[in-house]
Amino acid sequence: MSGPTRRDALFYAGAAAAVGSFALGGARAQTEGAPAAPAAAEGDPKAFGPERHGLSAFGELKYPPDFKHFDYVRPDAPKAGVFSQTPVTTAYNQNLSTFNTLNAYVLKGDGAQGMALTFDTLMARAADEPDALYGLVARSVQVSGDGLAYRFALRPEARFHDGSKLTAEDVKWSLETLKAKGHQLIVEAIRDLDSVEVEAPDVVVLRLRKNRTRDLPLTIAVQPIFSRAYYEKKPFDQSTLEAPLGSGPYRVGRVAQGNAIEFERVADYWAKDLPVNVGQNNFERVRFEFYRERSAAFEAFKGKKYLFREEFTSLTWATGYGFPAVTEGKVKREVIPDLTPSGGQGLFFNMRRKKFQDVRVRKALNLAFDFEWMNKNLMFDSYARTVSVFQGAPEMMATGKAEGAELALLEPFRGKIPDEAFGEPLVPAVSDGSGQDRKLLREAAALLREAGYVVKDGRAVGADGEALTIEFLEAETAFDRHLSKYISSLKVLGVEATIRLVDPAQYKLRTNNFEFDVISQRLSMAETPGEGLRQVYSSESANAPGSQNASGLANPAVDALVEKIVAATSRAELELAARALDRVLRSLWTWIPAWSKGSHWLAYWDAFGHSPEKPRYARGAPETWWWDEAKAEQAGVKT
């Protein structure tokens, strides 16, 4: 809702926030906001500058200090009704299909969706700006001239749900605890936080290390604030179904472990009238429903078990919405633009395993993937082929041959990365759409032979006598048709492939510990990538349990370019380094790019109202939506 979700916490780390599986189917004026790494102030570089009302990666802020609300909300939206949905994204320890703990900020367990609704943060995101934050618990922030200290002045009215005051001590305890005991992704994201000092009950100072990342202040500012007093009596890092004490716009309501969790709006929420909250948090209840299979979830939607659905299955979108409630106008469908980077979605090789360490093998396996056939025969031509991890962000995608400043970034690695990185950006091969493109399969077979594989009795056998086999680890059957077609092509090459279906808890455990051959995954890229790239592509994340580095990529050139992005002091510098990184990642073939589309497919029971324009960098639902009692009655929807 108004406070940042866990996706936002990763977003401000410049992260590619992991999503369970891939989908089926102008310049602004700068206000007085402080940049994350400001220019040195006059005099003592340790001295703090003037109070600021917001932060962004490069100092750009759309809203002035006296803004009343975000442009994309309805300020007088009614507070009523219920918004119910199934999970569509995951972060940290979450699972799309189940949950067994309300502690969503540690590695242990399967975290419940929506827990971020119960916790406030120092600052809150503006969803119509790439990375801007404005004060929530913090009324203002001051930045030292050297950019290594941030002084947050807290609002004296900030309260937890039990009425106790939220103080600088709570901020200090929360950040220190997350750094020591939080999920590995959080630990990595805030590792350059050097110390947290309490100057007064309502003033906290964050001191950062000299080589800290550009977006570290933004990442810290959206971390949840916990009650120190509450956790003095409870271990922070345990799995538990006890609702923690929060301070956010919602509190935990009904919980049915593994099936559903409901959040209740806090009527006397202390921050309800702040500019970052006006027109948001409009529903009396917010509920998440969990289903093992997409087909079961769709049937539940048709039966009004939940009211809002984002559709990710092209077959269902094309053929499934002919049921009576749709024809009668009680269920509405909308296609709204998704202007955010879609990121990398596809099949990821576990390169920690010897059989995937030869790039020729990975190239061969890419050639056997017939996207054109799948898109036409399984997905109603609904998608475009993904070619880059920066898909949807053209300013960060490589074009043409490397030259100029981009070439200069790559030149130190000549001979250490594939030569293809210096030429035209590599893209997946386009098949003839027959489902078994002989030309591409011949090329794939030749690459396997170069890698030492010989087909004997229909099996590709390596020099070590081991047959090349692949197990696709999945937690649902939604991709069976796609993978089955791919498996049939692999069989032509002598590659034995199977699908291994496991329950959601086992899937989470195995992926956390990298116990898989290939998994399907979607990584949603931030508009201003930074620290999060380390979590996905750096050598140090390759073997960290729970890491988003699914492929186990550990490459010095990638590390160096990620650091260039992380350290960039302007958007132009960031985009230049991103294009160089894009070239290198494409040349390594660590994954099989799948598909993407620049829109959201929404279906919902007609009980809601929403603004005609959604925020630029968010879906807008449920954040900016509201309950329409008259519509709900007409659609036969009750709360």
Side-chain angles (χ1 to χ4, degrees):
M1 295 310 209
S2 66
T5 64
R6 279 182 289 272
R7 195 274 184 194
D8 291 327
L10 286 170
F11 178 97
Y12 289 109
V19 182
S21 356
F22 56 89
L24 281 176
R28 293 185 299 275
Q30 181 174 325
T31 71
E32 62 175 291
E42 293 183 11
D44 184 2
K46 303 293 184 183
F48 286 102
E51 290 190 341
R52 311 288 185 172
H53 70 294
L55 294 174
S56 74
F58 300 112
E60 303 161 327
L61 292 176
K62 172 182 177 180
Y63 294 97
D66 60 349
F67 81 101
K68 303 302 182 185
H69 57 78
F70 294 132
D71 290 346
Y72 50 83
V73 303
R74 174 186 168 185
D76 62 346
K79 309 295 185 183
V82 60
F83 190 95
S84 51
Q85 63 181 322
T86 56
V88 297
T89 65
T90 65
Y92 306 145
N93 66 350
Q94 289 178 331
N95 192 311
L96 287 172
S97 304
T98 188
F99 70 95
N100 55 27
T101 178
L102 301 188
N103 188 345
Y105 297 95
V106 296
L107 183 61
K108 187 184 301 181
D110 295 308
Q113 291 272 335
M115 290 304 297
L117 298 172
T118 70
F119 298 111
D120 274 328
T121 55
L122 287 170
M123 308 188 87
R125 177 192 179 192
D128 56 350
E129 299 181 76
D131 47 45
L133 299 177
Y134 297 89
L136 179 52
V137 170
R139 64 173 177 80
S140 67
V141 59
Q142 295 171 275
V143 188
S144 65
D146 60 7
L148 297 180
Y150 285 68
R151 176 190 279 151
F152 290 91
L154 310 188
R155 300 183 193 274
E157 66 269 31
R159 293 289 188 277
F160 289 103
H161 293 155
D162 65 354
S164 60
K165 190 168 182 176
L166 190 161
T167 71
E169 290 289 353
D170 296 303
V171 177
K172 173 181 170 67
W173 186 89
S174 300
L175 292 174
E176 290 178 344
T177 300
L178 285 169
K179 185 177 177 182
K181 299 179 179 180
H183 191 282
Q184 182 65 27
L185 295 177
I186 301 175
V187 173
E188 291 178 8
I190 66 174
R191 62 184 176 181
D192 289 331
L193 171 62
D194 192 46
S195 65
V196 185
E197 301 171 5
V198 174
E199 281 194 355
D202 60 350
V203 179
V204 63
V205 176
L206 311 180
R207 299 200 181 275
L208 314 180
R209 294 173 182 163
K210 287 186 177 180
N211 295 324
R212 59 90 168 177
T213 60
R214 175 194 61 250
D215 44 11
L216 178 59
L218 307 181
T219 304
I220 294 173
V222 296
Q223 296 304 316
I225 301 172
F226 307 112
S227 166
R228 177 185 177 185
Y230 174 84
Y231 281 105
E232 281 181 344
K233 304 173 185 178
K234 304 176 188 297
F236 173 78
D237 53 356
Q238 72 174 357
S239 290
T240 178
L241 288 171
E242 178 182 329
L245 177 62
S247 62
Y250 288 84
R251 58 167 56 93
V252 176
R254 182 177 66 90
V255 175
Q257 180 180 342
N259 295 317
I261 182 169
E262 191 165 87
F263 298 88
E264 300 169 350
R265 191 173 72 87
V266 178
D268 60 350
Y269 173 43
W270 73 271
K272 63 182 178 180
D273 296 322
L274 293 181
V276 294
N277 282 329
V278 170
Q280 302 190 77
N281 310 314
N282 299 322
F283 296 98
E284 288 297 331
R285 290 176 289 134
V286 174
R287 187 171 70 250
F288 292 91
E289 299 275 349
F290 294 79
Y291 298 90
R292 172 70 182 271
E293 291 289 346
R294 294 188 186 192
S295 57
F298 182 56
E299 292 303 315
F301 172 74
K302 291 163 62 176
K304 221 181 299 182
K305 299 294 185 183
Y306 64 96
L307 302 178
F308 177 94
R309 174 179 175 84
E310 180 166 0
E311 186 59 68
F312 292 97
T313 307
S314 55
L315 176 63
T316 304
W317 187 252
T319 66
Y321 286 87
F323 55 95
V326 176
T327 58
E328 294 167 4
K330 295 178 179 179
V331 167
K332 299 292 186 182
R333 294 204 296 168
E334 285 189 45
V335 178
I336 63 174
D338 179 5
L339 303 177
T340 61
S342 61
Q345 65 175 8
L347 298 170
F348 288 77
F349 304 115
N350 185 356
M351 298 192 306
R352 302 168 190 85
R353 300 192 167 179
K354 182 180 177 182
K355 58 188 170 184
F356 298 122
Q357 291 174 0
D358 191 321
V359 69
R360 294 170 296 188
V361 172
R362 302 195 299 271
K363 283 184 182 179
L365 298 177
N366 263 275
L367 289 169
F369 189 83
D370 195 336
F371 163 77
E372 285 69 30
W373 185 93
M374 293 180 191
N375 196 34
K376 179 180 179 180
N377 293 278
L378 302 179
M379 301 186 293
F380 298 86
D381 283 325
S382 300
Y383 292 89
R385 186 76 189 265
T386 295
V387 301
S388 167
V389 299
F390 295 111
Q391 196 76 29
E395 65 280 358
M396 290 187 273
M397 293 174 62
T399 58
K401 294 182 178 180
E403 56 185 24
E406 197 174 321
L407 177 60
L409 290 177
L410 295 172
E411 201 61 57
F413 305 102
R414 191 177 289 277
K416 301 175 184 177
I417 57 176
D419 291 340
E420 291 91 337
F422 295 87
E424 294 285 338
L426 296 177
V427 296
V430 177
S431 79
D432 61 10
S434 66
Q436 199 169 99
D437 189 311
R438 294 183 179 182
K439 178 179 178 293
L440 295 182
L441 289 175
R442 282 196 299 270
E443 292 178 21
L447 285 168
L448 290 178
R449 286 194 298 273
E450 286 181 24
Y453 285 93
V454 178
V455 177
K456 297 179 181 179
D457 299 323
R459 306 172 73 203
V461 179
D464 57 2
E466 294 291 324
L468 181 55
T469 62
I470 298 176
E471 180 183 88
F472 296 99
L473 184 67
E474 294 291 332
E476 60 175 329
T477 59
F479 308 108
D480 279 4
R481 295 185 307 150
H482 305 73
L483 291 176
S484 294
K485 180 58 187 174
Y486 183 38
I487 288 171
S488 69
S489 295
L490 292 175
K491 187 176 181 180
V492 175
L493 300 175
V495 179
E496 296 182 2
T498 57
I499 301 171
R500 177 70 179 276
L501 183 67
V502 298
D503 64 65
Q506 187 179 3
Y507 182 87
K508 188 69 174 177
L509 181 63
R510 288 186 59 173
T511 53
N512 278 345
N513 294 313
F514 313 118
E515 296 172 359
F516 61 86
D517 280 347
V518 178
I519 58 171
S520 57
Q521 183 167 281
R522 179 184 176 189
L523 300 172
S524 181
M525 190 63 64
E527 283 76 16
T528 308
E531 164 64 29
L533 291 175
R534 287 176 173 168
Q535 301 173 5
V536 182
Y537 298 116
S538 72
S539 298
E540 64 187 35
S541 68
N543 294 304
S547 163
Q548 292 180 326
N549 190 341
S551 291
L553 178 61
N555 183 283
V558 171
D559 291 342
L561 292 170
V562 165
E563 293 309 308
K564 289 286 186 183
I565 294 172
V566 168
T569 58
S570 69
R571 197 165 294 277
E573 185 181 345
L574 180 151
E575 291 169 355
L576 174 70
R579 292 193 294 272
L581 176 63
D582 186 30
R583 292 179 183 278
V584 176
L585 291 175
R586 294 196 201 196
S587 73
L588 295 175
W589 296 108
T590 61
W591 63 311
I592 300 175
W595 45 78
S596 62
K597 60 180 176 66
S599 62
H600 297 282
W601 292 339
L602 306 182
Y604 55 90
W605 286 84
D606 192 19
F608 305 113
H610 65 81
S611 301
E613 294 291 330
K614 78 175 190 68
R616 170 69 172 78
Y617 297 105
R619 187 179 69 180
E623 295 85 356
T624 65
W625 289 34
W626 60 86
W627 185 259
D628 189 315
E629 190 62 50
K631 286 184 177 180
E633 183 175 353
Q634 190 170 359
V637 175
K638 299 179 180 179
T639 60

